[in-house]
Amino acid sequence: MQHPEAADEGAVAAPLAEQLRPRTPDEVIGQQHLLGPGQPLRLAFASGQPHSMILWGPPGVGKTTLARMMATQFDCEFIALSAVFSGIKEVREAVAQAESWRAHGRRTLLFVDEIHRFNKAQQDGFLPFVESGLLTFIGATTENPSFEVNSALLSRASVYVLKPLDESEMGILFDRARARVMSDLDFDAAARERLIGLADGDARRLLNLLEQLRTAARLAGVTALDGEFVEHVVAQNLRRFDKGGDAFYDQISALHKSVRGSHPDAALYWLCRMLDGGADPRYLARRIIRMAWEDIGLADPRAMQIANDAAQTYERLGSPEGELALGQAIIYMAVAAKSNAGYMAYNAARSFVGKDGSRPVPVHLRNAPTKLMKELGYGKAYRYAHDEPEAYAAGETYLPDGMAEPGWYRPTPRGLEGKIGEKLEHLRQLDRKARGK
């Protein structure tokens, strides 16, 4: 690749991301857990022997760059396909090209971007050629390969997880871009910080934003850029957020676990991150209701009401006013007493019933609206709880005959459930006393 400083001034300049694409592992910013001394990809480069792999990570962290770099380092011919635009036809053409190169003693590295977009048949199409050694396969994906890549293909490839660049690494990239191709522009600290924040760990986005600002600065005839100029040019703050991807489910998981962990600030942070990223507030409202039933339960029944009220408030007010109700509901969920006893009891009961036979209702619990039913003993010896001391029929049985007490619901000592536990223990004592008689 031609170095940017040596480019012909009359030629159309390549995009900044292409001009700054690293050519060796040492030039790569970030991913030191893979490229640092003694780390897996560093060892792979040093070995000189390419192997098939899946590069899994968010956009703009160097997946394509690493694939191209490997082709160069291993002296392979390079074919790049995008699963968005390619199909079986393009795969066959790639295989034919690889066979032609092999006839001339050349190895082929096939790079498939967004491999998760290929269906099972398309992914299976690579297998024979990967197994035969015709192709070294590198797939790139933003989605969890455990779910999106066929197990057969996955078993033949090493999976490497790439991480978003942190603030320090993004700062290094910013400074490199300025020094190489944007030295004519001055960015104050606020502009630099705002750009790095907007890029959100995505190197390609940072470089695209810098190009956008360079064009705007030339049109405006300015060379000194501050935070206000950045805000004006970059009108939208687009976070890394894919409503159908891992980022979405990871953030939902973080929100739910922050509530469960009783950390209101963290819960608010993740809620606002998702709202900022474009998550549907109605979806978040439904998740908040679920949290109330799953993680708080009877320890604080008010949580269910507050969650429902917040959802209804959002329906009445919409965005952004209705989002305040969701925020306050999240705070309440986080600080409320926690119990999953009801959730666990329900799941245990469902599991038992799903595996158990259809036990008949005990005769004394059956309704007897007709004479025949009464003659058959339906409802006989049933004790009406309201006529008993403490409105409780001590010693009575309500489970099917022969079924042991399962003990599914075990209240915690937290919140209202502590009182529930005390009451149930008192009733069990009455049962033991009645049965002892």
Side-chain angles (χ1 to χ4, degrees), residues 345 348-349 352 399-400 403-410:
F352 177 85
L399 289 167
M403 180 174 168
E405 290 283 348
W408 290 319
Y409 179 52
R410 299 181 180 183

Side-chain angles (χ1 to χ4, degrees), residues 50-349:
H51 64 275
S52 293
M53 64 185 71
I54 303 291
L55 301 176
W56 172 27
V61 294
K63 298 186 290 294
T64 303
T65 292
L66 285 172
R68 291 182 178 278
M69 194 182 298
M70 287 175 190
T72 300
Q73 293 285 113
F74 299 140
D75 192 26
C76 295
E77 300 293 345
F78 184 78
I79 299 176
L81 299 179
S82 169
V84 176
F85 303 110
S86 304
I88 293 293
K89 174 178 177 288
E90 286 73 19
V91 172
R92 287 173 178 163
E93 290 173 350
V95 168
Q97 182 65 71
E99 288 173 337
S100 173
W101 280 327
R102 184 166 65 175
H104 293 84
R106 300 289 295 163
R107 296 180 298 183
T108 301
L109 189 153
L110 174 64
F111 173 66
V112 180
D113 197 15
E114 299 192 77
I115 181 63
H116 59 277
R117 303 279 189 130
F118 271 162
N119 60 34
K120 183 180 186 300
Q122 290 169 316
Q123 291 184 28
D124 283 344
F126 297 118
L127 289 176
F129 309 107
V130 172
E131 290 176 338
S132 69
L134 176 66
L135 299 171
T136 297
F137 170 79
I138 298 182
T141 178
T142 57
E143 305 296 331
N144 189 329
S146 300
F147 306 123
E148 304 294 342
V149 178
N150 288 353
S151 57
L153 184 58
L154 202 57
S155 68
R156 291 161 176 79
S158 300
V159 177
Y160 298 109
V161 182
L162 280 69
K163 300 177 181 178
L165 274 65
D166 63 25
E167 188 173 333
S168 172
E169 291 163 345
M170 293 292 277
I172 294 171
L173 179 61
F174 178 93
D175 294 339
R176 181 181 294 181
R178 281 214 53 225
R180 287 194 183 182
V181 293
M182 302 184 72
S183 57
D184 57 325
L185 296 178
D186 292 320
F187 294 80
D188 69 7
R192 184 178 189 273
E193 180 182 357
R194 192 74 187 103
L195 275 169
I196 290 173
L198 285 167
D200 199 23
D202 183 330
R204 184 168 54 247
R205 180 182 293 173
L206 176 62
L207 297 177
N208 289 342
L209 288 173
L210 282 169
E211 284 195 302
Q212 187 177 343
L213 282 169
R214 179 170 60 183
T215 300
R218 287 173 178 170
L219 291 173
V222 298
T223 57
L225 311 184
D226 56 16
E228 185 177 346
F229 186 83
V230 172
E231 288 285 354
H232 175 71
V233 172
V234 185
Q236 254 187 331
N237 179 356
L238 299 175
R239 301 291 182 187
R240 180 186 295 115
F241 186 81
D242 177 358
K243 295 180 185 179
D246 278 354
F248 177 83
Y249 294 107
D250 288 347
Q251 290 176 30
I252 276 291
S253 176
L255 172 63
H256 200 148
K257 288 170 182 172
S258 298
V259 167
R260 184 181 295 149
S262 300
H263 199 302
D265 287 345
L268 270 178
Y269 170 79
W270 292 114
L271 175 72
C272 291
R273 270 286 301 275
M274 297 198 74
L275 290 170
D276 180 64
D280 182 356
R282 293 177 179 85
Y283 173 82
L284 295 173
R286 293 195 296 272
R287 292 293 302 217
I288 293 169
I289 293 171
R290 174 184 168 182
M291 293 172 200
W293 288 99
E294 183 175 321
D295 288 293
I296 298 169
L298 298 180
D300 188 347
R302 292 170 296 184
M304 294 85 153
Q305 185 61 52
I306 287 173
N308 278 305
D309 287 348
Q312 291 176 13
T313 298
Y314 180 81
E315 289 298 331
R316 288 194 174 190
L317 296 182
S319 294
E321 293 85 354
E323 292 163 7
L324 173 61
L326 301 183
Q328 296 205 38
I330 274 290
I331 294 172
Y332 191 91
M333 302 298 127
V335 301
K338 303 296 189 299
S339 172
N340 71 344
Y343 174 71
M344 298 299 289
Y346 172 77
N347 286 340

Side-chain angles (χ1 to χ4, degrees), residues 35-59:
L35 292 169
Q39 298 304 316
L41 283 183
R42 173 68 69 167
L43 295 175
F45 277 113
S47 73
Q49 292 298 318
H51 64 275
S52 293
M53 64 185 71
I54 303 291
L55 301 176
W56 172 27

